[in-house]
Amino acid sequence: MALGDLMASRFSQSSAAVSNHLDECSSHDNGDFGAHRRDSETLSSSYGNVGTSATTSMAYLPQTVVLSELRHDAFESCMPSGPSDSGLVSRWRPKDRMKTGCVALVLCLNIGVDPPDVIKISPCARMECWIDPFSLSTKALETIGKTLTMQYERWQPRARYKIQLDPTVEEVKKLCNSCRKYAKSERVLFHYNGHGVPKPTANGEIWLFNKSYTQYIPLPISDLDSWLKTPSIYVFDCSAAGMIVNSFIEECNASSSTTSSRDCILLAACEAHETLPQSSEFPADVFTSCLTTPIKMALRWFCMRSLLRDSLDYALIDKIPGDQTKRRTLLGELNWIFTAVTDTIAWNVLPHGLFQRLFRQDLLVASLFRNFLLAERIMRSANCSPVSYPLLPPTHQHHMWDAWDMAAEICLSQLPLLVRDPNAEYQPIPFFTEQLTAFEVWLDHGSEHKKPPEQLPIVLQVLLSQCHRFRALVLLGRFLDMGPWAVDLALSVGIFPYVLKLLQTTNPELRQILVFIWTKILALDKSCQVDLVKDGGHTYFIRFLDSMEAYPEQRAMAAFVLAVIVDGHRRGQEACLEAGLVHVCLRHLQGSALNDAQTEPLFLQWLCLCLGKLWEDFMEAQIIAFQADAPSICMPLLSEPQPEVRASAVFALGTLLDVGFDSCRDGGVDEECDDDEKFKAEISVLKSLLYVVSDGSPLVRAEVAVALARFAFGHNKYLKSIAAAYWKPQSSSLSSFPSFAHVKATAANPSQYIGPLLRVGTDTPAVSRDIRVSTSSPLSASGIMHGSPLSDESSQHSYSGNLHDSHSTSNGVISNNHSRHRAPLDNALYSQCVLAMCTLAKDPSPRIANLGRRVLSIIGIEQVVAKPIKSSRPGEPNFVGLARSSSWFDMSGGHLPLTFRTPPVSPPRTTGFLTGMRRVCSLEFRPHVPSSPDSGLADPLLGAVGSSERSFLPQSTIYNWSCGRFSKPLLNVPDDIEEILARREEREKFALYHISECQHTFRKLSNQPSWDTKFDTATKTALLHPFSPLVIAADENERIRVWNYEEANLLNSFDNHDFPDKGISKLCLVNELDDSLLLAASCDGNIRIWKDYTRTGKEKLVTAFSSIQGHRPGVRSVNAVVDWQQQSGYLYASGEISSIMVWDLEKEQHVNSISSSSDCSISALSASQVHGGQFAAGFVDGSVRLFDIRTPEMLVRTMRPHAPKVERVVEINFQPGLDQGKIVSACQAGDIQFLDIRNEKGAYVSIDAHRGSLTALAVHRHAPVIASGSAKHLIKVLSLEGEPLGSIRYYPTFMAQKIGSVSCLTFHPYRVLLAAGFADGCVSIYADGNSQAR
């Protein structure tokens, strides 16, 4: 199977394993809501039937898993980092590519005269360069010299060769100087053959001749080094050559300069005490023969030691057919195998840095060192050990030599036939096929923690062959997919230039694999972008991206590669722009709306990211994008179900905003800049960003904050003016402060929504250009007030006039000098932007809130010391009117104490005025001296666009975060999937067993607690973990504690957030059958979901969002009620609003707002844990409504079971079992009603349980039991028929103290355990009376 097909199938497996949401049923007429999940009881079950039917088990055990994607892994706790272009990842690159430009050959043979210190045996080795000098009558020395030159030219044909035969010292000096002069900064090779002179001296001197050849003249190695300088490489082929190396090392150690030792390489034929082998089976220059003719030398040596030695004529070795440079010939294949073997040995034995220096920096040096490994193997068989500097570890016994011997034997065995018959076809050697198989075996069993695959250099060599290339690329892709460590290994072995060159191929079979490989490389090392653009590689990926044959996931990888190419690389941006990348991406984004095959989220995500990176800070690309109507093409993606796609679309739109707006405007009129068109485009981009400012995913909101920061940077002057105008008091008269709440009615029309949060009236006068703000300002809409004091009814008659009078010019808020530079956008839109920034600054996600505060600082609003906001004490004036006029958003809701950078304003002299302002708003005006009267707000926090100012801008994270996906394995299902499935199966068996047990064996509840503890403050809500003996409780300060009630110890304690208001209204578990998450819903409607909540100090915030947006006029708090439904993956939220907001936690998206069909607020909310999409709501007027989002009407039934009493419903819940029509409702008056919605007459059982003091109700999910609690220190336990099963009044103390006022009750999901929280801070657990108390 091709890697592309394999990848596509693995992608589908991975997505199925990670996102195993229930199948969606067909969509109905409600287009806004989209398709809903199929009712869980209609699905078949794959689980065992433990005491109940398959349908029942599926209903009781939901299969939905949410918030388990990559984006939920520590979003708050770490900043993602994209591909790097420095540090460790670039160490695979040779620091300095080098070549050997000149070669000096010095032969001191003195043919016919033996040196005085050498006693030769008979017969002895006589061959020099495979020539017997005594077989030639004349010019033997010259012939040997020419032959040696030709042997070296085989390895470096472009070098300049100079030769000296039996030279004097002066001739050698002249030779060295001329070589260095010619080579300049390139390497010089100095080859010395000293077979006709004495051994080197102990001081490291080599011997030459005088002019008359009557004396041997010594030449110190230091002199030679001073003439040749560096970089250089020396080859010494003489006896006791190790003497020279030792002397060179000593000199380097003694020298203060390390240049020579760093850039000099030495190869010596033997150790200092050794003599060259004289056996006639070797040539006299066996070391030189190994270095320059390795194949011939290796085959002769192997033949002498194999079974072929008697049957094979050695002369045939010189007749091996083919060419060493042509791999399809026998000689070429042998040379190819030899290169692979020696490369593999070196890579597996040498340290990384040394391998890079010797085998990847210089082609000639690499060849010599490969051949040096052969010399070590052959000469050690003759008791001679070649020496090198740098020193190499022994390699002569490496097992890869066995693979070479096998290849040599296969070659030699068919050599006689090939020589006899030139037309005979040789049988290819199976070396590479076998090595690829060995590599594949390693891939099946290897890992990062095991020894790396030694065949990696062979895979590199195989890429050169068409017959093996496809398989090698597939295996290489599998290896790279194992992680960044694997990519680094492959790059270090030298794979980069090979895969870069392969981009020039037109073979369609290789396209998918090459894209995958480059994806893995660029996910690790961004610096490759320069090489790709230089070689025109970007066009390869643009063509692939534009092809329709590949899978969308693979085209997403091509988009990723292109995104990395243009990321911060202007040359890459220019090249891709010229190649039409903008139009290619936009065309496919447009096509995604028409073609379902293109709607792969990963593909859409990377198209957006690629576009964003392409036109980021690149004006030419932005102009082309606007001309191609890019904003309108990207905007529909803001409603995509995948948060990654929405965040990427925000990134693409945000990078279109011009950061340098102010400098452009103030610098004069630029004819090339069409301001009107640019402003229209900015308006459309900005409105689209405001649409998602309250998105359910922090990933999306973070990108909105970054985009608004860019906008604030470019429009800094105007945003400051708008902000200052709203915050600036007009006079000491409270009645003169501007207020905008009296136009609440203008926001009632849904068509006026800009987003879930922002509403703009259209039936009032528009904002004038002299910055008079009309009542249609977005800040005036009730939806925008978000519960701020501005929305109070008493402010309806406040004066709404000019935001700045004639004195505003002197204050510098808005100067008349701005008349010639009018605000480029409508002031209402600027106001919406400031409001959006404030919304982000009080975001429940700490990271988003920090981003929001950074954005506010750009327009002059700074954070001060954060203090919890408290109401005024009795007896002190509470100037609510001042709070209305000085704040446009709910400071108490978000707890964002701010100070505004504004010029000094004379405050009213009323003492209570300042007190009220501090107390109600936690907002203070800090005097600041402006640098100029026209600065508007104080010194501009950010001035003209520049590199230093740009550093203030928060940076986008979606790109870096998205890059992380490709650095992780893509082809393999996670290793822990089996463990996850086993744990889930175990928990399902546990749940089904205990469901059956509690349904049939429950009798009564003990009135004595089996465990209790105490908070410092009142307990607000509690939760029992279904599979561990854990109780989780939260107090009114939103402190969450986790206890183990069996071992009676506290496991963890942490604050839900830093500015608690009214406590947590609901705790529930998400994914309780898997790795459960803790959902904490605050009373202000903010949702925070935690993982690792049982680990001391290790809890992590998975996601956070505001579930309620906007609330009723005149209401100061939200009083949120929330419930979670695992079957559907929906979170339902309501409170002091006229609708129930439905959030899809898999999509992290607000999917519907269901009208509550009542003028009253919702006080209780309960989602069915059996029937997905069904929930019930209780209202403050005592009415009860049942909703089902699977029906077009949504509202199923309205009942008033508590009439004639008009008391709020405290709690509502579904009765145990699969019956979807039975509900239990309890109101504050104390009566509990058992309802069947099919019975129009009302409750079929009614109990007056607590007489006006009911505070809590709990219904067991499966057992036929309910519990109610009252403020009068009493808990009652009842059956589903209303029969009393017991009561709890006292703590189990010696004095029999009464229990406190009951604040919350909750049952264990699968066992009969009741947890109760009390107003005095106690938390108690009561067990089944039939079971033994722990």
Side-chain angles (χ1 to χ4, degrees):
M1 180 185 286
L3 183 66
D5 301 328
L6 175 68
M7 186 176 62
S9 63
R10 296 292 176 87
F11 257 115
S12 60
Q13 291 176 20
S14 178
S15 60
V18 176
S19 180
N20 53 353
H21 215 290
L22 293 180
D23 294 335
E24 299 187 59
C25 65
S26 59
S27 59
H28 52 70
D29 295 337
N30 186 0
D32 292 335
F33 192 59
H36 298 299
R37 277 87 173 166
R38 184 177 301 148
D39 196 5
S40 58
E41 40 188 315
T42 65
L43 300 177
S44 60
S45 174
S46 59
Y47 302 99
N49 188 353
V50 186
T52 185
S53 67
T55 300
T56 304
S57 68
M58 282 297 295
Y60 287 154
L61 305 175
Q63 307 303 302
T64 308
V65 177
V66 299
L67 303 176
S68 59
E69 302 287 345
L70 183 64
R71 64 180 180 270
H72 301 118
D73 188 14
F75 171 80
E76 298 288 341
S77 59
C78 65
M79 288 292 290
S81 58
S84 177
D85 56 0
S86 61
L88 288 177
V89 298
S90 293
R91 65 193 179 106
W92 60 269
R93 287 183 181 271
K95 293 183 179 178
D96 297 304
R97 284 282 182 186
M98 194 176 295
K99 73 174 183 177
T100 301
C102 197
V103 177
L105 304 177
V106 176
L107 302 182
C108 297
L109 296 180
N110 200 11
I111 297 173
V113 180
D114 291 335
D117 58 349
V118 174
I119 301 175
K120 291 187 176 181
I121 63 173
S122 181
C124 69
R126 299 169 63 176
M127 306 278 283
E128 299 280 353
C129 294
W130 302 103
I131 296 173
D132 183 354
F134 297 100
S135 65
L136 300 177
S137 58
T138 58
K139 296 187 178 181
L141 186 59
E142 289 81 355
T143 303
I144 293 171
K146 288 180 180 179
T147 305
L148 181 61
T149 302
M150 289 187 292
Q151 290 177 181
Y152 266 111
E153 284 177 340
R154 155 75 181 85
W155 306 105
Q156 178 57 291
R158 296 182 180 179
R160 183 172 183 178
Y161 290 85
K162 296 185 178 183
I163 188 166
Q164 285 289 342
L165 306 175
D166 292 345
T168 64
V169 173
E170 288 300 320
E171 289 171 337
V172 170
K173 180 179 180 181
K174 183 178 179 181
L175 171 69
C176 293
N177 289 333
S178 64
C179 285
R180 173 49 60 197
K181 183 177 180 181
Y182 176 83
K184 298 180 181 177
S185 61
E186 294 177 346
R187 194 186 305 275
V188 175
L189 185 147
F190 182 85
H191 179 100
Y192 172 76
N193 183 325
H195 297 170
V197 293
K199 300 176 183 177
T201 66
N203 295 328
E205 298 166 313
I206 60 175
W207 295 98
L208 300 174
F209 302 98
N210 63 359
K211 288 184 179 181
S212 59
Y213 297 99
T214 58
Q215 288 183 330
Y216 299 111
I217 308 299
L219 173 62
I221 184 65
S222 57
D223 289 353
L224 195 60
D225 184 45
S226 67
W227 299 334
L228 281 179
K229 301 182 173 60
T230 57
S232 55
I233 178 170
Y234 299 89
V235 177
F236 296 106
D237 188 354
C238 58
S239 296
M243 289 278 196
I244 309 171
V245 177
N246 295 339
S247 178
F248 181 83
I249 295 174
E250 290 176 5
E251 184 179 334
C252 290
N253 293 335
S255 174
S256 59
S257 172
T258 60
T259 304
S260 179
S261 63
R262 185 174 63 252
D263 293 336
C264 284
I265 298 172
L266 284 78
L267 299 176
C270 57
E271 294 275 10
H273 60 280
E274 294 175 344
T275 302
L276 291 178
Q278 297 185 23
S279 172
S280 59
E281 67 179 11
F282 295 108
D285 62 346
V286 59
F287 186 62
T288 298
S289 297
C290 289
L291 293 183
T292 58
T293 56
I295 303 300
K296 183 176 182 177
M297 188 68 227
L299 291 178
R300 287 177 65 92
W301 183 79
F302 171 77
C303 192
M304 289 186 293
R305 283 157 178 75
S306 73
L307 298 176
L308 300 172
R309 62 180 178 270
D310 297 328
S311 61
L312 186 69
D313 182 5
Y314 290 0
L316 291 178
I317 294 176
D318 294 328
K319 300 178 182 180
I320 296 177
D323 188 336
Q324 288 196 16
T325 60
K326 296 179 180 179
R327 287 183 293 274
R328 292 190 175 184
T329 64
L330 181 57
L331 184 58
E333 187 175 31
L334 273 175
N335 184 65
W336 186 23
I337 294 172
F338 178 81
T339 302
V341 167
T342 49
D343 244 18
T344 301
I345 294 173
W347 187 74
N348 282 282
V349 170
L350 301 186
H352 175 272
L354 190 58
F355 176 80
Q356 288 290 329
R357 179 187 173 195
L358 301 182
F359 286 82
R360 292 295 181 263
Q361 193 179 52
D362 185 320
L363 290 176
L364 179 59
V365 171
S367 299
L368 289 177
F369 267 95
R370 288 191 195 101
N371 303 341
F372 178 80
L373 300 184
L374 174 69
E376 183 192 16
R377 185 190 192 204
I378 291 177
M379 296 183 72
R380 276 182 179 267
S381 68
N383 298 319
C384 201
S385 302
V387 182
S388 69
Y389 178 83
L391 182 65
L392 302 186
T395 59
H396 60 288
Q397 292 182 333
H398 196 279
H399 62 86
M400 281 302 295
W401 287 119
D402 296 334
W404 163 253
D405 289 344
M406 184 175 181
E409 185 171 1
I410 294 174
C411 166
L412 294 174
S413 63
Q414 55 182 320
L415 186 57
L417 175 62
L418 295 174
V419 172
R420 283 196 309 269
D421 183 5
N423 297 322
E425 184 176 349
Y426 86 96
Q427 296 299 317
I429 301 172
F431 171 82
F432 289 107
T433 302
E434 293 168 353
Q435 294 299 319
L436 286 178
T437 302
F439 184 50
E440 190 170 7
V441 170
W442 187 96
L443 289 175
D444 292 334
H445 304 283
S447 70
E448 180 181 5
H449 308 293
K450 295 182 179 180
K451 183 181 177 181
E454 62 182 24
Q455 297 83 13
L456 206 53
I458 298 175
V459 176
L460 179 146
Q461 291 292 328
V462 171
L463 295 180
L464 300 171
S465 169
Q466 290 186 357
C467 60
H468 298 294
R469 184 176 294 159
F470 181 78
R471 184 187 180 197
L473 285 173
V474 171
L475 296 178
L476 178 62
R478 287 182 56 190
F479 178 68
L480 299 181
D481 191 56
M482 300 183 79
W485 64 272
V487 181
D488 188 50
L489 273 179
L491 290 173
S492 69
V493 84
I495 208 162
F496 181 78
Y498 292 79
V499 292
L500 182 63
K501 192 173 183 63
L502 284 175
L503 294 180
Q504 300 173 10
T505 65
T506 57
N507 186 352
E509 188 183 34
L510 304 181
R511 292 191 309 165
Q512 298 176 2
I513 310 167
L514 283 174
V515 169
F516 182 84
I517 288 173
W518 273 104
T519 296
K520 287 297 180 179
I521 292 174
L522 289 174
L524 175 75
D525 195 343
K526 171 185 170 183
S527 68
C528 302
Q529 61 184 179
V530 178
D531 306 86
L532 282 169
V533 175
K534 182 179 178 182
D535 283 30
H538 61 285
T539 58
Y540 185 91
F541 298 101
I542 293 177
R543 289 195 302 270
F544 186 86
L545 178 65
D546 203 21
S547 67
M548 300 299 294
E549 292 81 15
Y551 291 104
E553 296 93 341
Q554 296 162 342
R555 293 161 66 198
M557 294 180 189
F560 161 75
V561 171
L562 291 165
V564 177
I565 288 175
V566 299
D567 180 23
H569 183 214
R570 180 50 53 89
R571 183 67 195 97
Q573 289 176 313
E574 293 170 349
C576 289
L577 185 64
E578 293 171 6
L581 181 57
V582 170
H583 300 289
V584 170
C585 291
L586 290 177
R587 184 166 63 252
H588 289 295
L589 284 178
Q590 280 181 306
S592 66
L594 306 174
N595 185 2
D596 290 340
Q598 292 196 34
T599 56
E600 165 63 36
L602 188 67
F603 184 46
L604 298 179
Q605 175 186 349
W606 276 104
L607 284 175
C608 291
L609 292 173
C610 182
L611 285 172
K613 282 295 178 182
L614 176 57
W615 60 50
E616 185 177 31
D617 302 326
F618 185 29
M619 183 60 69
E620 289 83 352
Q622 292 174 8
I623 292 172
I624 291 177
F626 284 128
Q627 291 172 348
D629 201 18
S632 65
I633 296 174
C634 294
M635 284 175 195
L637 299 175
L638 298 177
S639 58
E640 281 289 310
Q642 294 79 17
E644 297 92 342
V645 177
R646 301 199 300 273
S648 302
V650 172
F651 171 75
L653 291 168
T655 48
L656 280 174
L657 294 176
D658 185 8
V659 178
F661 173 80
D662 274 348
S663 61
C664 175
R665 295 289 295 174
D666 296 339
V669 179
D670 186 355
E671 295 179 356
E672 296 181 3
C673 181
D674 189 348
D675 283 352
D676 291 336
E677 292 298 323
K678 177 173 174 294
F679 296 155
K680 289 179 183 178
E682 280 196 334
I683 289 174
S684 64
V685 169
L686 198 57
K687 286 184 177 179
S688 66
L689 294 177
L690 295 178
Y691 177 79
V692 287
V693 74
S694 296
D695 192 275
S697 171
L699 203 63
V700 180
R701 300 197 304 276
E703 295 308 309
V704 175
V706 172
L708 287 178
R710 290 178 63 91
F711 178 76
F713 196 100
H715 295 249
N716 184 264
K717 178 190 306 179
Y718 304 99
L719 288 168
K720 283 186 176 182
S721 301
I722 292 291
Y726 279 116
W727 246 291
K728 177 177 173 289
Q730 300 299 308
S731 70
S732 60
S733 172
L734 295 181
S735 63
S736 67
F737 284 98
S739 179
F740 315 102
H742 65 280
V743 290
K744 298 186 298 294
T746 65
N749 186 354
S751 66
Q752 294 168 0
Y753 275 83
I754 284 188
L757 175 65
L758 305 174
R759 308 174 185 174
V760 178
T762 58
D763 56 351
T764 50
V767 182
S768 60
R769 286 178 180 170
D770 63 352
I771 315 187
R772 289 178 182 269
V773 177
S774 73
T775 55
S776 67
S777 166
L779 302 181
S780 67
S782 60
I784 295 172
M785 291 311 157
H786 207 66
S788 70
L790 284 171
S791 61
D792 196 287
E793 297 288 342
S794 63
S795 66
Q796 291 188 13
H797 305 291
S798 299
Y799 172 71
S800 178
N802 193 345
L803 280 176
H804 55 89
D805 52 22
S806 59
H807 300 291
S808 64
T809 300
S810 62
N811 282 335
V813 176
I814 296 179
S815 169
N816 289 333
N817 293 334
H818 289 169
S819 61
R820 68 177 182 271
H821 293 307
R822 65 178 177 84
L825 306 182
D826 190 275
N827 287 286
L829 197 54
Y830 280 129
S831 302
Q832 297 163 29
C833 292
V834 176
L835 175 65
M837 296 171 189
C838 294
T839 302
L840 292 168
K842 56 173 186 168
D843 195 276
S845 165
R847 176 176 288 184
I848 310 303
N850 181 56
L851 286 172
R853 289 192 289 270
R854 290 181 63 183
V855 177
L856 284 177
S857 69
I858 295 176
I859 61 170
I861 304 174
E862 292 183 330
Q863 181 188 12
V864 295
V865 179
K867 299 177 182 178
I869 298 165
K870 302 180 185 299
S871 59
S872 301
R873 290 193 294 268
E876 291 186 352
N878 187 354
F879 292 98
V880 179
L882 175 63
R884 292 190 205 104
S885 63
S886 58
S887 175
W888 50 23
F889 66 102
D890 181 14
M891 300 300 298
S892 64
H895 304 296
L896 181 69
L898 304 172
T899 184
F900 194 70
R901 294 163 59 90
T902 187
V905 178
S906 301
R909 297 182 179 180
T910 306
T911 305
F913 178 93
L914 292 175
T915 305
M917 182 173 69
R918 276 196 308 273
R919 303 178 71 74
V920 177
C921 301
S922 187
L923 183 78
E924 57 188 37
F925 294 93
R926 186 173 65 187
H928 188 90
V929 180
S931 58
S932 64
D934 189 39
S935 61
L937 293 176
D939 298 331
L941 182 65
L942 300 173
V945 178
S947 58
S948 59
E949 288 84 358
R950 287 291 301 278
S951 62
F952 282 96
L953 287 175
Q955 297 300 308
S956 168
T957 58
I958 179 63
Y959 170 75
N960 287 343
W961 177 86
S962 300
C963 289
R965 174 190 180 96
F966 292 116
S967 62
K968 293 179 171 58
L970 300 175
L971 302 178
N972 298 314
V973 177
D975 295 335
D976 59 349
I977 190 69
E978 293 184 3
E979 179 184 345
I980 293 173
L981 294 175
R983 182 172 64 245
R984 181 181 177 89
E985 183 178 358
E986 180 184 349
R987 289 185 172 185
E988 286 175 344
K989 290 180 179 179
F990 173 92
L992 291 173
Y993 172 80
H994 283 88
I995 287 172
S996 176
E997 187 178 58
C998 69
Q999 284 176 339
H1000 299 97
T1001 62
F1002 172 72
R1003 295 292 179 266
K1004 61 177 294 186
L1005 201 70
S1006 171
N1007 61 2
Q1008 297 294 322
S1010 59
W1011 177 90
D1012 57 12
T1013 188
K1014 191 167 184 178
F1015 270 110
D1016 295 331
T1017 55
T1019 305
K1020 288 285 289 185
T1021 182
L1023 171 70
L1024 288 168
H1025 195 283
F1027 303 108
S1028 302
L1030 304 178
V1031 59
I1032 307 161
D1035 64 10
E1036 59 186 14
N1037 290 329
E1038 301 203 28
R1039 184 76 176 173
I1040 299 174
R1041 291 182 172 88
V1042 183
W1043 287 278
N1044 183 315
Y1045 53 79
E1046 285 188 349
E1047 300 177 1
N1049 65 321
L1050 180 67
L1051 298 182
N1052 197 14
S1053 177
F1054 60 95
D1055 289 315
N1056 190 39
H1057 65 108
D1058 294 333
F1059 299 101
D1061 185 12
K1062 294 184 178 179
I1064 293 176
S1065 64
K1066 184 82 172 181
L1067 286 175
C1068 48
L1069 290 183
V1070 178
N1071 307 334
E1072 69 176 30
L1073 289 168
D1074 300 275
D1075 286 333
S1076 60
L1077 308 172
L1078 178 65
L1079 185 150
S1082 300
C1083 292
D1084 60 2
N1086 286 335
I1087 306 296
R1088 295 173 177 85
I1089 300 178
W1090 301 87
K1091 66 183 294 187
D1092 300 331
Y1093 52 90
T1094 61
R1095 301 173 59 190
T1096 306
K1098 303 292 185 180
E1099 67 282 346
K1100 296 177 183 177
L1101 188 61
V1102 173
T1103 187
F1105 63 97
S1106 178
S1107 65
I1108 296 178
Q1109 297 159 5
H1111 45 84
R1112 297 176 186 273
V1115 177
R1116 294 177 179 277
S1117 58
V1118 177
N1119 295 324
V1121 286
V1122 171
D1123 204 9
W1124 159 246
Q1125 191 173 62
Q1126 187 74 45
Q1127 282 86 346
S1128 62
Y1130 291 146
L1131 179 84
Y1132 305 96
S1134 189
E1136 301 293 345
I1137 57 176
S1138 57
S1139 62
I1140 300 111
M1141 306 194 77
V1142 184
W1143 295 84
D1144 187 323
L1145 287 198
E1146 183 186 32
K1147 301 175 181 176
E1148 296 184 67
Q1149 193 174 34
H1150 175 228
V1151 291
N1152 203 6
S1153 291
I1154 303 173
S1155 174
S1156 63
S1157 304
S1158 173
D1159 294 332
C1160 299
S1161 301
I1162 295 177
S1163 57
L1165 199 62
S1166 177
S1168 171
Q1169 297 304 316
V1170 176
H1171 304 287
Q1174 193 177 65
F1175 65 95
F1179 292 76
V1180 294
D1181 63 352
S1183 62
V1184 172
R1185 287 172 173 80
L1186 180 68
F1187 298 87
D1188 195 328
I1189 60 176
R1190 299 167 295 183
T1191 63
E1193 303 82 17
M1194 303 289 185
L1195 179 61
V1196 177
R1197 177 61 58 87
T1198 300
M1199 306 180 74
R1200 296 186 178 274
H1202 302 285
K1205 301 172 184 177
V1206 186
E1207 296 277 357
R1208 75 181 182 92
V1209 175
V1210 172
E1211 189 61 66
I1212 189 169
N1213 218 320
F1214 288 86
Q1215 293 187 25
L1218 298 177
D1219 195 331
Q1220 53 186 323
K1222 291 188 175 182
I1223 298 172
V1224 181
S1225 175
C1227 80
Q1228 195 170 7
D1231 63 308
I1232 301 174
Q1233 306 291 338
F1234 293 77
L1235 311 174
D1236 189 333
I1237 62 168
R1238 294 162 294 192
N1239 182 1
E1240 298 183 359
K1241 296 180 180 179
Y1244 64 87
V1245 176
S1246 180
I1247 302 172
D1248 192 5
H1250 294 284
R1251 296 184 181 179
S1253 60
L1254 191 143
T1255 57
L1257 174 76
V1259 180
H1260 199 284
R1261 193 185 295 180
H1262 303 289
V1265 59
I1266 69 171
S1268 62
S1270 76
K1272 297 182 179 179
H1273 319 286
L1274 174 64
I1275 298 175
K1276 287 187 176 181
V1277 183
L1278 308 168
S1279 70
L1280 294 181
E1281 289 75 31
E1283 300 175 355
L1285 298 179
S1287 62
I1288 301 170
R1289 296 177 180 271
Y1290 302 99
Y1291 290 127
T1293 60
F1294 176 74
M1295 300 298 294
Q1297 179 183 357
K1298 281 190 175 183
I1299 62 174
S1301 176
V1302 181
S1303 58
C1304 63
L1305 294 170
T1306 183
F1307 278 107
H1308 190 285
Y1310 306 117
R1311 300 171 58 196
V1312 183
L1313 290 176
L1314 175 67
F1318 304 97
D1320 60 2
C1322 283
V1323 179
S1324 299
I1325 297 179
Y1326 301 88
D1328 183 350
N1330 296 329
S1331 63
Q1332 182 179 0
R1334 292 186 178 90

